[in-house]
Amino acid sequence: MMLKLKIKLFSLLLLCTSIANAQTNTYKFKRSITGVNTVWHKMTLPDDLYKKANAGFEDLRIFGINGKDTIEVPYLLKQRADKVTTNDITFKQINQSTNPNGYYYTFQSPGINLINQIKLAFKQDNFDWKVTLEGSNDNKQWFAILSDYRILSIKNNDTDYQFTKLNFPDSKYKYFRVAVKSPIQPELLEAKISKTDTIKGTYKEVRYKSFDVKNDLSKKETVVDVTLNTPVPLSYLKLNAQSDFDFYRPIKIEYATDSFKTDKGIQYNYANLYEGTISSLEETAFNFENTVTSRLKITIQNNDNKPLRLSSLQLKGNISEIIARFDEPKSEYALYYGNEKATNPVYEIEKFENKIPVDLTSVNIGAEQQNPAYSIKTEKPLFENKAWLWVLMVVIIGLLGWFSFKMLKN
């Protein structure tokens, strides 16, 4: 009787274990989560996780185990990038005049508005002008906002570049006056006046392992290969570029998606991150979608110009943060990943994000472990088995011999 009871208890334990493993056995890796003491928590993904997780994080799962019960924890994955909002302000042009100092364009708003950006559009394609910007509340007394601000447009077979956006500190006036110093009459098509606000995201500085610059004279381009120590998210790149003269050149930033071996060593396949212009008129910094990679390639088209002096760069990535709801804080929780076939989970909390508390305490993610429940085995193709190959050869030889014998007999 006692033996039967022990067998039943052992069978029940095996059944519970197999049920728990059924939810977690497709994930190669796990990390313990500690510090859960309430329903809502946040956690920051560690850098060494990105190398093993899927590039799009489709395989991230949080499971809690409490005895025989295994529960899946719903979560939101947040990448805190800069959030830029632009509000256009209603202005109308009320005056256009000229004197020996330049050409003047005056704009009026129904009220006194706070602005920090004016985008100008001209009919001319090629120009290099200086601009002065002033503000006034009575259209009589004017106060300087910008002085000798350079705007530029170049369009030819090699370049199509414009820099006609006036950026300045927040300014609150009813009237704004733009003065353009130009040897010819500027043909102003549009002036878009706006207030731009930026809510800063959460970034982490990323150190690079190597920075290799090569100037290819035959292709008239400079190529910079940047290698990181491990795959991490990147969304910001600032290049230290110097020249004795003003410059504006096409730039392309790519990231390595995978690698392959050749006779010349390891080669890489690349995908685009950013294409635009690097210019002495603007900050040589570029923002792009947060992307996990361990290698970058930067290509600058020099045309017939002297290559720029490139000495270093600055890299940043948005921190990836998980916001999770732990319905049973007393359970033992772990983060699982490493399933190439996983698809993005769909949780209801995504629709009710506004109800999640703002101030969340952090929990800890432990070191990476091999998931002991992982049971997916890679089956080798049938014909990689030598025994099957020998059997197949014997069958083929036998069939050939039988057909030969039949032919000779006939």
Side-chain angles (χ1 to χ4, degrees), residues 25-27 49 73 78 114 177 185 199 205 225 230 242 269 283 291 315 321 329 369 396 400:
N25 65 1
T26 58
Y27 302 91
L49 175 144
V73 175
K78 292 294 185 180
L114 187 68
R177 183 168 66 184
Q185 169 76 55
I199 300 175
E205 195 90 17
D225 287 311
T230 187
Q242 296 178 339
N269 290 318
E283 186 180 24
T291 303
L315 295 171
E321 186 179 73
Q369 309 170 43
I396 292 173
L400 289 173

Side-chain angles (χ1 to χ4, degrees), residues 95-112:
N95 194 14
Q96 179 176 332
S97 60
T98 183
N99 65 28
N101 294 321
Y103 298 86
Y104 293 81
Y105 306 87
T106 305
F107 303 92
Q108 179 187 9
S109 171
I112 298 176

Side-chain angles (χ1 to χ4, degrees), residues 399-410:
L399 288 173
L400 289 173
W402 184 77
F403 281 117
S404 300
F405 175 76
K406 292 286 289 182
M407 291 175 65
L408 290 173
K409 188 176 180 181
N410 292 335

Side-chain angles (χ1 to χ4, degrees), residues 27-181:
Y27 302 91
K28 296 179 184 178
F29 309 104
K30 63 177 288 190
R31 291 172 181 258
S32 298
I33 297 175
T34 57
V36 176
N37 53 27
T38 186
V39 176
W40 292 99
H41 282 291
K42 64 181 179 180
M43 63 192 84
T44 301
L45 297 183
D47 285 347
D48 57 350
L49 175 144
Y50 300 111
K51 189 174 183 179
K52 305 287 182 64
N54 292 357
F57 307 112
E58 303 92 349
D59 57 335
L60 294 184
R61 297 292 188 279
I62 300 174
F63 291 109
I65 298 176
N66 186 0
K68 64 179 181 179
D69 297 325
T70 299
I71 56 172
E72 183 169 346
V73 175
Y75 71 85
L76 294 174
L77 181 63
K78 292 294 185 180
Q79 295 176 336
R80 308 290 185 180
D82 286 352
K83 187 176 181 180
V84 180
T85 58
T86 299
N87 295 316
D88 293 337
I89 309 297
T90 301
F91 273 84
K92 64 177 181 179
Q93 184 175 335
I94 61 170
N95 194 14
Q96 179 176 332
S97 60
T98 183
N99 65 28
N101 294 321
Y103 298 86
Y104 293 81
Y105 306 87
T106 305
F107 303 92
Q108 179 187 9
S109 171
I112 298 176
N113 288 283
L114 187 68
I115 71 167
N116 56 17
Q117 189 177 93
I118 299 177
K119 294 180 181 178
L120 302 174
F122 297 92
K123 188 175 181 180
Q124 288 95 332
D125 284 331
N126 291 280
F127 56 82
D128 186 353
W129 299 329
K130 293 292 183 64
V131 168
T132 297
L133 177 65
E134 298 172 304
S136 173
N137 287 325
D138 57 7
N139 201 17
K140 295 178 181 179
Q141 186 178 12
W142 293 92
F143 300 92
I145 301 172
L146 291 175
S147 180
D148 287 335
Y149 189 96
R150 189 178 180 188
I151 60 175
L152 179 73
S153 175
I154 298 174
K155 188 172 184 179
N156 53 43
N157 293 332
D158 299 321
T159 305
D160 187 355
Y161 173 70
Q162 279 197 351
F163 179 68
T164 58
K165 182 168 60 178
L166 311 184
N167 292 305
F168 46 91
D170 290 354
S171 300
K172 195 171 185 179
Y173 295 101
K174 186 174 183 178
Y175 300 91
F176 286 89
R177 183 168 66 184
V178 177
V180 182
K181 296 178 183 178

Side-chain angles (χ1 to χ4, degrees), residues 298-318:
I298 306 165
T299 305
I300 299 174
Q301 188 63 47
N302 298 315
N303 296 316
D304 295 318
N305 303 294
K306 184 179 179 181
L308 302 175
R309 296 191 297 273
L310 307 175
S311 56
S312 62
L313 55 75
Q314 182 184 15
L315 295 171
K316 293 180 183 180
N318 294 116

Side-chain angles (χ1 to χ4, degrees), residues 232-390:
V232 291
L234 294 176
S235 60
Y236 172 91
L237 184 152
K238 184 177 182 180
L239 194 58
N240 187 355
Q242 296 178 339
S243 175
D244 296 329
F245 306 97
D246 285 328
F247 58 87
Y248 34 86
R249 304 180 188 183
I251 185 172
K252 179 167 66 174
I253 303 172
E254 300 171 283
Y255 71 100
T257 56
D258 53 32
S259 61
F260 55 94
K261 291 182 178 180
T262 68
D263 295 337
K264 297 181 179 180
I266 298 178
Q267 303 295 316
Y268 298 89
N269 290 318
Y270 289 91
N272 277 359
L273 269 180
Y274 178 91
E275 282 192 72
T277 303
I278 182 170
S279 168
S280 57
L281 300 182
E282 303 177 74
E283 186 180 24
T284 54
F286 311 97
N287 294 280
F288 38 83
E289 185 178 353
N290 213 39
T291 303
V292 176
T293 187
S294 62
R295 192 178 185 92
L296 295 174
K297 182 169 73 171
I298 306 165
T299 305
I300 299 174
Q301 188 63 47
N302 298 315
N303 296 316
D304 295 318
N305 303 294
K306 184 179 179 181
L308 302 175
R309 296 191 297 273
L310 307 175
S311 56
S312 62
L313 55 75
Q314 182 184 15
L315 295 171
K316 293 180 183 180
N318 294 116
I319 293 174
S320 297
E321 186 179 73
I322 284 179
I323 297 173
R325 189 187 71 208
F326 298 89
D327 295 328
E328 298 180 14
K330 293 183 179 179
S331 298
E332 292 184 6
Y333 292 97
L335 176 66
Y336 292 81
Y337 56 97
N339 180 351
E340 296 176 357
K341 296 182 179 179
T343 57
N344 278 315
V346 179
Y347 300 122
E348 291 176 340
I349 63 172
E350 183 180 353
K351 307 297 182 183
F352 306 99
E353 187 175 349
N354 60 335
K355 295 186 177 180
I356 298 175
V358 176
D359 296 323
L360 301 177
T361 56
S362 297
V363 292
N364 300 315
I365 299 179
E368 183 176 273
Q369 309 170 43
Q370 296 287 333
N371 179 14
Y374 181 68
S375 61
I376 304 298
K377 304 296 182 184
T378 303
E379 298 292 339
K380 290 186 176 182
L382 180 63
F383 296 115
E384 282 189 12
N385 190 310
K386 291 184 178 180
W388 277 105
L389 289 175
W390 279 108

